Amino acid sequence: MTGFAYHRPSSLDDALAALAEPGSLPIGGGSDLLAGIEEGHAAPTRVVELERIPELATITTQADGGVRIGGGVGIALLAEAPELSAFPVLRAACTAVGSPALRAMGTLGGNLAQRQRCWYFRSRVGCFKHGGTGCAAVDGEHVYHAIFASGTCHAAHPSDPAVALLVLDARVEVRSVRGTRMLDIEALYEGAAENVRSETVLAGDEVIVAVHLDAAARDGAQHWEKLTQRGAFDLALVSCAGVRRTDGSVRIALGGVAAGPWRAPHSVEEDIASGGLDEESIEALAARATYDATPLAGNAYKVQMAEAAIRRAAKTIAN
Amino acid sequence: MADPTKTPPRFVTTTVEVEGRTEERVVEVPAFPIEPWGPEAQLTHVGARASRVDGLLKTMGRAPYVTDVRRPNQAYAALVRSRIARGRVTAIDTTAARALPGVLDIITHADVPARTRLFLPEITYFGQPLAAVCATTPAIAEAAAALIRIETERLPHIMTVSEAETSETLVRPGLSHNLMGGGPKVVERGDVTAALATAEVLITREVRTPCALHSALEPHAAVAEWEGDRVTVWESTQGIFRVRDNVAKAFGLSLAQVRVICEAMGGGFGAKNNAGAHTFVAVAFAKRLGHAVACVVDRPGEQIDTGNRPSTWQRVTIAATHDGQLTAIDLEATVPLGIAGWEESPGDIYHELYACPNVRTSVRIAYVNTGAMAAFRAPGHAEGSVGLEMGLNALAQALGIDPLTLRERNIATHDQRRGRPYTGNRLAECYAEGARRIGWTSRATRTASAPHRRRGFGVASQVWSTGGGPPAYATVRLNPDGTAEVLAGSQDLGTGTRTILAQVAAEALGHRLDAVRAVIGDTATGPYNGNSWGSMTVASLTPAVRMAAEEARRALLDAAAGILTVAVDRLATHEGRITVRDDERSLAFGEVTAKLGNVMIQGHGSRGPNPDAVGIVTTGAQFAEVEVDTETGVVRVLRIVAVHDAGRIVNPTLAESQLEGGIIQGLGYACFEERPLDVRMGRPLALGLHDYKIPTHADIPLIDGHFLEGADPQANTVGARGIAEPAIIPTAPAIAGAVADALGVEVPDLPLTPWRVLAALQHAPQRHSP
């Protein structure tokens, strides 16, 4: 690991100004960035600490029941935050992250912006994100990779909270010295399979200031499941988040299957929302949900897992 | 009749088994006979649940591991490794690295003694060390290592047994054939072909076991420091004397010029049996620079270049009578060994575990362009037991016999491999006790926790030679204040050797445990002991400690008899006091030793030979209870019951702890662990513990580990046998059996990942709930 400067900003503006200078990278808990520096695919000359900036470190419940989560809030905190009791799917997804140590260090912003854990990417070999051509995983070892291809990269995004945030229709508040913009969580990962420098659309000087949850996403029926090999410290082979809102509408999303969190087709969600499903129709709609899957030679099992996860989600939130 | 006027020979030859290999050794006969502690012996410290003597230090982070060693002006080395699997070095440019402030020295092939075999320009595997850099800090050394430009000419690599067999190319210079021994190694007992031809029932199965990595949490590490023409090496090792020998040979030194120290260790599992590249690099730099140099292998280096348990393919055919008597076992197996290693055959356990008159194993071991294998806890047996036990399960199913009953009907009553009796084999009792603990006969009544989950049970057995043997030495000395020290050139891998030696010495001396301290881990202070490998340390060393303590006790009693003016045979020792039979008087040890002052009482102990023509083994059975999610293929191990017969257990707490360690490692082997390899690139893909998955705390099931009470006085004077390797052997096959039981279909390849389980389920007959 090569050395870098450590900047503890006095304010958010100070942090943004620091990040506007080339060579600076934001750091939350550092659990991904420091590994990236050690592995040689991140080389900041300066890291800018975000965790202690008040705007980033707090969870605020709005008057209408919506919640604003600072990007620097720790995953462990979120997993038990009373402010999120109406969003159990997010708490469950945060509880599912890594291990106690990683949850203690990791922040929400850092978790959403973490890099892919593909072993070719991490080894810096056979990966277009490291100056190679194409994706070595396609004809190589890809048991953990994506089954919904959206571009050159076949890695599956590692974030658990992103999957929960997708079914909560969360919006991401992004800021830089150039201003503030609001992104749907889906838009945050647009082009993840083609972007070289990042899996998000964040520019180099932008940080995730907050994640916003609308009051309309509170309560209803919420479901979370993460399928892993081990009992802890594993990325999702497949994860599934599902909600039935109080207005009856349904959202289903999967993790571990695409370059970003993956949303089920609307027709599938609508069918679950319509209710009155028997075993057979649940099986049919789960199969329909994965109809567009393009698994590689060695990871078709994820399609089976995804269908099982969707069936279970449909059953728990249908009632 | 022996001539009483003749002194018996001081040195004789005996056989010792090390990890499945039999070695002939010259041994020293003990100076006086010692009555073994039999099962009935009344013992105070031996058998007690004494706390680990260095437990507090370890818990507080103060146990001195090699990476904690700080010597004056200590510098740090980093290795530069090959990024290709086969080829040759054409040029090395160190200019940029040398220019980095803080860089002290760089060495390549030309700079090291040929006997170190370091930095060979012929590249034969990914991760091979090609150069090393030394700097004032580890960070600078790493940064400099990244700046060393190595140009290589790439040659095609060979990664599989079939390629190795058919290729004209040899995977490395110096080989005459890519197959070890030039062809399959065939070992046969009886007449397998004839027995198969007349088989009443016959099954055949193919299984694959993964390449597993030791993944010790403490990396390989060495610190070397020269003082004149002598070098001291602090090394994380299973064998301080072996490292001494390795270093002396590599650098052309006498044995007296090399001192090796290992105070504390964070895991070896077979991968730390020798000096490694990191050792020689530290020694070489330290000599060139004139001050201490540390070389710690980083995690990627650990995962690619410190050894592994090679993968295997096994095709097992088993024949039996209708009532379940085994009549023939036939194994064909292949092992891609890596670029080097020794013949650890998955075949051996087939010849030994179950009673069968006709056994044939044909194993093809191929050298391939991946990192060298290293012994890994029960090398060969852990792999072979998977095929053998899965074959037995298939046979039980074909016969319609309970898998436990089938095993009970085929217990090996003697050592079939070598045609000799065992000192004991209480496997039948292990089966019975294990079955009772897991509730084997009522297992069908245990229902799964959800409709999409299925519950299953499995059983597997284990045999492993655990007699240990000579040479092993210890000195026990009494200080003027009556405290005692055990000196032995052994090492504590984390198993608790230090504690156990103190327990045995306290027992034999009749001393308090807190007054006895074991001083180990230093070739300069302790007499010779071999590596802590092959489940040998307790059975090898504790009899020597006992003898040393007995000798010291005799001297102490002689002195006490003089003080008390009584006959020695009226004296006894207990908890640090000397008592006199039919007399009120007693003396504390310290009262006697204080009178002697610095006239020191010392006892010398050597390990006597093993008994002739008898096999000394630990046997046992493990039972697994699992749940499998049939929709997702996820396996969860709920419970492991382990019952083993290892003779006398010196410390049940430590023994159970070691049992748990083996079981957890076996669980990882069964469920998670495999080295991913890109065969096109010739490179391993798991460079850390993220992608190479050892079990986490959340994966550890309820472990009910139990040892049968008893002792093996025929084996040695302490009556103890080893337990390290027995612990891991049956775990994976017991779990695999339980998964097959749950699913109604076998998953032929380990580890039992969701994708393998789901693939197997696609071939499963539809099962309907009753």
Side-chain angles (χ1 to χ4, degrees), chain B residues 209-509:
Chain B
T209 61
C211 175
L213 308 176
H214 299 68
S215 306
L217 294 188
E218 182 203 21
H220 289 67
V223 177
E225 185 177 50
W226 289 77
E227 198 181 346
D229 63 353
R230 290 175 301 153
V231 65
T232 300
V233 180
W234 289 262
E235 170 93 35
S236 172
T237 181
Q238 296 176 236
I240 50 174
F241 277 96
R242 197 171 171 94
V243 171
R244 177 200 65 171
D245 295 354
N246 294 159
V247 169
K249 188 175 173 194
F251 288 86
L253 303 168
S254 76
L255 298 180
Q257 286 173 293
V258 184
R259 176 182 181 187
V260 178
I261 298 171
C262 176
E263 277 286 319
M265 241 191 113
F269 312 119
K272 293 179 181 169
N273 278 328
N274 302 289
H278 62 284
T279 320
F280 297 148
V281 163
V283 172
F285 273 135
K287 189 176 172 81
R288 289 162 65 94
L289 295 168
H291 54 68
V293 173
C295 188
V296 180
V297 177
D298 60 10
R299 184 51 62 181
E302 280 293 309
Q303 301 306 99
I304 58 181
D305 189 30
T306 59
N308 59 70
R309 184 194 300 286
S311 64
T312 70
W313 166 85
Q314 301 172 48
R315 186 171 63 205
V316 54
T317 302
I318 306 181
T321 61
H322 290 299
D323 64 354
Q325 297 294 328
L326 303 186
T327 54
I329 302 175
D330 196 12
L331 170 75
E332 189 192 346
T334 60
V335 180
L337 190 71
I339 198 60
W342 52 276
E343 182 205 318
E344 54 135 44
S345 175
D348 290 349
I349 196 169
Y350 285 82
H351 291 274
E352 194 168 1
L353 182 55
Y354 295 114
C356 184
N358 307 293
V359 181
R360 178 173 58 204
T361 55
S362 172
V363 182
R364 306 202 304 287
I365 299 175
Y367 295 106
V368 292
N369 292 116
T370 59
M373 68 75 75
F376 188 170
R377 206 168 191 164
H381 271 45
E383 299 92 305
S385 74
V386 175
L388 175 57
E389 299 282 15
M390 285 170 84
L392 230 65
N393 290 342
L395 179 66
Q397 196 173 28
L399 290 165
I401 295 178
D402 182 290
L404 177 59
T405 310
L406 179 63
R407 286 166 173 85
E408 287 171 326
R409 283 185 193 168
N410 290 284
I411 292 173
T413 53
H414 67 285
D415 180 351
Q416 302 169 94
R417 255 173 101 189
R418 298 174 195 83
R420 60 187 186 180
Y422 289 131
T423 56
N425 181 3
R426 297 166 67 193
L427 187 54
E429 286 171 71
C430 295
Y431 285 139
E433 180 61 17
R436 188 185 71 75
R437 284 170 178 256
I438 196 134
W440 184 259
T441 51
S442 59
R443 66 192 190 279
T445 64
R446 295 181 69 90
T447 48
S449 58
H452 57 271
R453 299 204 183 104
R454 288 191 187 282
R455 189 72 64 110
F457 292 79
V459 59
S461 328
Q462 156 277 312
V463 64
W464 184 260
S465 292
T466 53
Y473 295 97
T475 297
V476 169
R477 65 186 186 198
L478 296 181
N479 295 315
D481 64 358
T483 58
E485 285 164 315
V486 183
L487 276 59
S490 187
Q491 49 281 313
D492 190 336
L493 276 57
T495 53
T497 304
R498 236 186 215 99
T499 310
I500 279 166
L501 300 189
Q503 283 179 272
V504 171
E507 187 71 54
L509 285 168

Side-chain angles (χ1 to χ4, degrees), chain A residues 214-299:
Chain A
D214 290 342
R218 294 176 68 94
D219 299 316
Q222 304 196 1
H223 168 87
W224 170 260
E225 184 175 31
K226 178 175 175 178
L227 299 169
T228 54
Q229 284 175 265
R230 297 187 292 192
F233 197 38
D234 258 357
L235 302 178
L237 297 169
V238 171
S239 66
C240 181
V243 297
R244 170 196 284 274
R245 287 193 172 199
T246 48
D247 70 4
S249 62
V250 163
R251 286 147 184 79
I252 300 276
L254 298 178
V257 297
W262 179 90
R263 176 91 178 256
H266 291 299
S267 71
V268 170
E269 295 179 341
E270 281 160 16
D271 282 359
I272 297 172
S274 69
L277 297 170
D278 56 13
E279 283 282 338
E280 226 167 278
S281 44
I282 286 178
E283 209 154 294
L285 71 85
R288 217 169 74 226
T290 61
Y291 183 79
D292 288 332
T294 51
L296 300 166
N299 68 358

Side-chain angles (χ1 to χ4, degrees), chain A residues 120 136 229-231 234 312, chain B residues 629 636 678 693-694 699:
Chain A
Y120 294 101
Q229 284 175 265
R230 297 187 292 192
D234 258 357
R312 291 176 190 180
Chain B
D629 185 328
R636 293 282 177 255
D678 188 307
K693 296 175 185 293
I694 60 174
D699 299 301

Side-chain angles (χ1 to χ4, degrees), chain B residues 82 84-89 117 120-130 153 155-159 170-175 305 338-340 367-372 682:
Chain B
S82 156
I84 60 172
R86 190 165 164 267
R88 65 176 62 90
V89 175
R117 302 202 44 81
L120 299 178
E122 301 284 344
I123 297 168
T124 57
Y125 65 97
F126 180 93
Q128 179 179 321
L130 299 177
E153 180 196 339
L155 293 167
H157 53 256
I158 289 171
M159 308 298 280
L170 293 171
V171 301
R172 66 170 158 87
L175 289 178
D305 189 30
I339 198 60
Y367 295 106
V368 292
N369 292 116
T370 59

Side-chain angles (χ1 to χ4, degrees), chain B residues 662-682:
Chain B
I663 287 167
I664 294 164
Q665 221 161 23
L667 186 153
Y669 187 50
C671 296
F672 312 125
E673 297 184 38
E674 58 185 316
R675 176 190 66 185
L677 199 63
D678 188 307
V679 292
R680 304 164 303 173
M681 299 177 179

Side-chain angles (χ1 to χ4, degrees), chain A residues 1-2 38 117 119-120 123 125-126 136-137 139-141 143-144 225 227-235 237 298 301 304-305 308-309 311-312 315, chain B residues 83 139 142-143 452 629 631-632 634-636 671-672 676-678 680-681 683 685 687 689-696 698-699 753-755 758 762:
Chain A
M1 190 188 287
T2 49
E38 186 145 327
R117 297 241 42 127
W119 40 39
Y120 294 101
S123 309
V125 62
D139 296 317
E141 297 300 312
V143 77
Y144 298 118
E225 184 175 31
L227 299 169
T228 54
Q229 284 175 265
R230 297 187 292 192
F233 197 38
D234 258 357
L235 302 178
L237 297 169
Y301 78 97
Q304 273 177 277
M305 275 194 149
R311 288 197 301 269
R312 291 176 190 180
K315 283 179 200 170
Chain B
R83 315 304 291 173
E142 270 176 52
H452 57 271
D629 185 328
E631 295 179 348
T632 64
V634 174
V635 172
R636 293 282 177 255
C671 296
F672 312 125
L677 199 63
D678 188 307
R680 304 164 303 173
M681 299 177 179
R683 68 190 282 155
L685 295 169
L687 303 185
L689 294 176
H690 177 270
D691 292 314
Y692 186 80
K693 296 175 185 293
I694 60 174
T696 70
D699 299 301
T753 55
W755 50 94
L758 289 173
Q762 294 193 322

